[in-house]
């Protein structure tokens, strides 16, 4: 009988002798472009990355994001740099922050410590993070043995006007996308003994979870996959890494009475709490509304940069192919296959008013991958050259559809950047948004340093005004609610804006019902943005008699509301 070791060596030698012949047969059937992609991974990864960086700088938008989240992240980063802890500096009460996890503010804080002070400098870091996210997407798909598909998806991501726009804002979605793709790449085809790659996977997953609360589906997918594959040691190690910081974050919110997403989730509309909470029927309605919006608005924008019949049809086609492609992968389930339904389920049950392209961004590459996988499965009997031609034609068609949005993005980027270079701090802002920025910039010079302002977006107001604190005015038309809040935080000012309809719904009734309690400090723009002063003892001032016409007239504020009261000439004797 032959020794078992010698038999195994001979079998391995025969297998190795067959590899060159098998490789030769494979090479003979592969088109030249496919062989180029297979043999030169660094080159094929560099081309999409270079295109992305070029287009990112051509379409770059130097102005700040007009939402409050961006200003919140920047404020949290500054609080970390200042050594005041993870604190809401904009809030008059200086409460510990408990809503947004700390990884993204820590990244911004590191940039600030490194010398990046302005919005524009920090936004350039976001561009680089977006490039890393595209690279990890490429590596993830290539690890699955699909180098041509990896290159195609990376090209689409690099050219997508919707993706390019997301990389121009100080928001956590692009870093979350990067950490998610890094985790998926590291977990994919992970062997039980590969502890180095396992460490990368767990660290990336943990960073993703503490970048956005929406990272919970990734955590569940990773833990579920390890349990399904009976990798109990790796599962225990994962839970050992993730559980302590997650528990500390939860205890922080509970012990400080802070705001968490779970508290806002059950509102019909978090911006209109007076509408109450949802029930099971409303939850199903929310799922339907979100499914419609993501399929017909947000996915088309990410795919093509715009809306319309062609973009919607393309998005629905991608969705159908992606569903089929995902189903064909279930026999070889990895973390990505578990993540898809969990994350989409989270998007569908999230408040519909929060839906947007940026929340779809982390799984957008997976949708493209599964769609291409599904299409390839349907065309599996087609010769490789024909399949490659179909893939090339698809990318070319998509590029043609993207071209108008790309051209518009380049034109807007050049125009806004030109204004910025000419000294315009906040270029390409118009209407109510411009007026709101003007109010905040004026407040920095005109209001006392200890002023407290009630406004629609106090986080943005704080960032633009360079430190004027404030909070949201109450989402209530009851004057007592506003006066109670103003008294509790020491607010003497309230901004009536036209950013949304909320000021008309909640602030206008209070102003009109108690005109004697307010005075006009200054008006901005032609859209009706006004800064009001809140008079001392406003709560005790009597409302006008019933039946009095509400003509919207208010007295002017005196100089005591300003930082430096104007010097008036002495009165004549």
């Amino acid at each position: 009988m032959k020794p078992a070791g010698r038999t195994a060596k001979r079998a391995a030698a025969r297998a190795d002798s067959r590899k060159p012949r098998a490789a030769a047969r494979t090479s003979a059937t592969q088109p030249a472009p496919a062989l180029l992609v297979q043999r030169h991974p660094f080159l094929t990864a560099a081309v999409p990355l270079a295109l992305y960086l070029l287009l990112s700088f051509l379409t770059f938008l130097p102005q700040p994001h007009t939402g409050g989240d961006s200003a919140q992240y920047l404020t949290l980063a500054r609080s970390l740099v200042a050594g005041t802890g993870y604190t809401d500096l904009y809030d008059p009460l200086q409460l510990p922050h408990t809503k947004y996890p700390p990884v993204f503010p820590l990244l911004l804080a590191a940039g600030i410590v490194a010398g990046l002070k302005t919005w524009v400098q920090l936004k350039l870091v976001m561009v680089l993070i977006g490039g890393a996210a595209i690279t990890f997407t490429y590596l993830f798909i290539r690890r699955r043995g699909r180098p041509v598909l990896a290159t195609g998806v990376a090209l689409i991501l690099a050219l997508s006007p919707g993706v390019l726009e997301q990389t121009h804002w100080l928001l956590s979605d692009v870093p979350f996308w990067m950490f998610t793709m890094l985790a998926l790449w590291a977990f994919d085809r992970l062997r039980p003994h590969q502890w180095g790659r396992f460490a990368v996977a767990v660290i990336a997953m943990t960073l993703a979870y503490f970048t956005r609360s929406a990272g919970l589906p990734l955590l569940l997918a990773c833990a579920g996959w390890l349990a399904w594959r009976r990798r109990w040691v790796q599962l225990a190690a994962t839970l050992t890494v993730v559980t302590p910081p997650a528990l500390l974050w939860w205890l922080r919110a509970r012990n400080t009475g802070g705001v968490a997403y779970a508290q806002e989730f059950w509102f019909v509309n978090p911006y209109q709490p007076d509408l109450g909470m949802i029930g099971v029927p409303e939850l199903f309605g929310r799922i339907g509304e979100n499914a419609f919006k993501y399929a017909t608005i947000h996915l088309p924008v990410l795919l093509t940069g715009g809306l319309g019949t062609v973009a919607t049809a393309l998005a629905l086609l991608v969705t159908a192919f992606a569903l089929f492609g995902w189903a064909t992968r279930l026999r070889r389930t990895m973390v990505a296959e578990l993540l898809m339904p969990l994350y989409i389920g989270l998007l569908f049950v999230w408040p519909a008013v929060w839906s947007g392209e940026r929340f779809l961004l982390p799984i957008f590459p997976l949708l493209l991958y599964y769609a291409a996988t599904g299409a390839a499965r349907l065309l599996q009997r087609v010769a490789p050259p024909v399949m490659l031609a179909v893939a090339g034609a698809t990318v070319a068609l998509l590029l043609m559809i993207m071209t108008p949005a790309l051209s518009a993005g380049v034109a807007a980027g050049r125009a806004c950047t030109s204004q910025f270079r000419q000294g315009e701090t906040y270029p390409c802002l118009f209407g109510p948004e411009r007026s709101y920025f003007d109010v905040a910039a004026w407040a920095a010079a005109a209001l006392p340093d200890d002023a407290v302002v009630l406004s629609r977006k106090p986080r943005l107001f704080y960032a633009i005004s360079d430190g004027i604190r404030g909070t949201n005015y109450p989402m209530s038309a009851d004057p007592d609610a506003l006066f109670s809040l103003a008294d509790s935080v020491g607010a003497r000012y309230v901004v009536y804006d036209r950013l949304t309809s909320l000021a008309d719904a909640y602030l206008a009734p209070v102003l009109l019902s108690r005109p004697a309690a307010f005075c006009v400090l200054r008006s901005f723009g032609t859209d009706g943005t006004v800064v009001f002063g809140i008079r001392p003892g406003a709560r005790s001032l009597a409302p006008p008699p019933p039946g009095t016409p509400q003509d919207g007239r208010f007295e002017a504020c005196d100089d005591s509301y300003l930082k430096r009261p104007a010097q008036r000439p002495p009165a004549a004797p």
Side-chain angles (χ1 to χ4, degrees), residues 159 161 303-305 396-410:
L159 299 171
L303 272 173
T304 68
L397 176 62
L398 186 57
L399 180 59
M400 288 177 57
I401 299 173
M402 289 177 178
T403 298
L406 277 174
S407 299
V410 170

Side-chain angles (χ1 to χ4, degrees), residues 96-107:
H97 186 80
T98 59
K99 186 173 182 180
Y100 298 142
V103 167
F104 183 50
L106 283 169
L107 290 177

